[in-house]
Amino acid sequence: MKSYKSFFLIIIIITNYSVCFSEGGWFQQLSNTNVDLIKIYFLNQDTGWVVGNSGKILKTTNGGIEWISQQSNLISPIRSVYFLNQNTGYAVGGKYEYVDFCYVDIIKTTNGGDNWTISYSQIEFDNSASDVTFINASTEFVTCFG
């Protein structure tokens, strides 16, 4: 009888051990796009956005299992995205047209990315927007390179 108790105790320990510790590592997620993706931002464990070339924006609401395309109305690369909350977010990018100048684009959404509007678009000399972040709702930092 004692050997049966030991056997069941070992089975319970092994079962609980495998349930308590999940597998670590990276898992490939399919984006269903052939466009190069550049930057990703998650607001929480489920909701996130990824941006890339050709004005591509994708959104997930289930932790990256499925991605839904959003229309940015840009054709230039989007290099960064940042959300203040579920609804309000900004994305920045631009592209070099010639050696002398490039475009800087900043777009904004107030409905979770369903619609994006251009909040700033300008031809700049030797600069292109590469990153965006906020320290509070009214102070935005855009990093440029050139």
Side-chain angles (χ1 to χ4, degrees):
M1 187 69 158
K2 189 172 184 171
S3 65
Y4 283 118
K5 287 182 182 178
S6 297
F7 175 74
F8 285 118
L9 181 60
I10 291 171
I11 295 296
I12 289 170
I13 290 172
I14 291 172
T15 303
N16 286 337
Y17 182 79
S18 64
V19 171
C20 291
F21 298 98
S22 65
E23 287 186 39
W26 293 91
F27 301 97
Q28 182 176 1
Q29 300 292 316
L30 299 177
S31 64
N32 295 322
T33 183
N34 59 356
V35 172
D36 289 338
L37 301 173
I38 299 170
K39 189 91 172 230
I40 192 167
Y41 179 84
F42 269 82
L43 190 60
N44 55 46
Q45 69 181 20
D46 293 319
T47 306
W49 292 262
V50 64
V51 294
N53 287 341
S54 302
K56 181 59 78 179
I57 300 176
L58 300 171
K59 179 183 180 180
T60 183
T61 56
N62 57 13
I65 295 170
E66 297 172 312
W67 292 91
I68 300 162
S69 184
Q70 295 186 323
Q71 186 67 271
S72 72
N73 298 316
L74 294 177
I75 57 171
S76 61
I78 300 175
R79 292 190 176 87
S80 184
V81 62
Y82 188 91
F83 271 74
L84 297 168
N85 54 48
Q86 285 285 119
N87 294 315
T88 305
Y90 293 83
V92 299
K95 68 175 184 172
Y96 287 102
E97 278 294 312
Y98 302 101
V99 175
D100 296 334
F101 68 91
C102 61
Y103 291 97
V104 173
D105 295 311
I106 302 173
I107 57 175
K108 178 182 181 181
T109 182
T110 56
N111 58 10
D114 291 338
N115 301 99
W116 292 86
T117 58
I118 295 174
S119 64
Y120 180 84
S121 185
Q122 182 70 39
I123 295 176
E124 298 283 344
F125 293 96
D126 299 327
N127 288 311
S128 180
S130 60
D131 202 4
V132 61
T133 193
F134 284 77
I135 58 170
N136 57 48
S138 61
T139 305
E140 169 186 8
F141 287 98
V142 175
T143 306
C144 295
F145 68 87

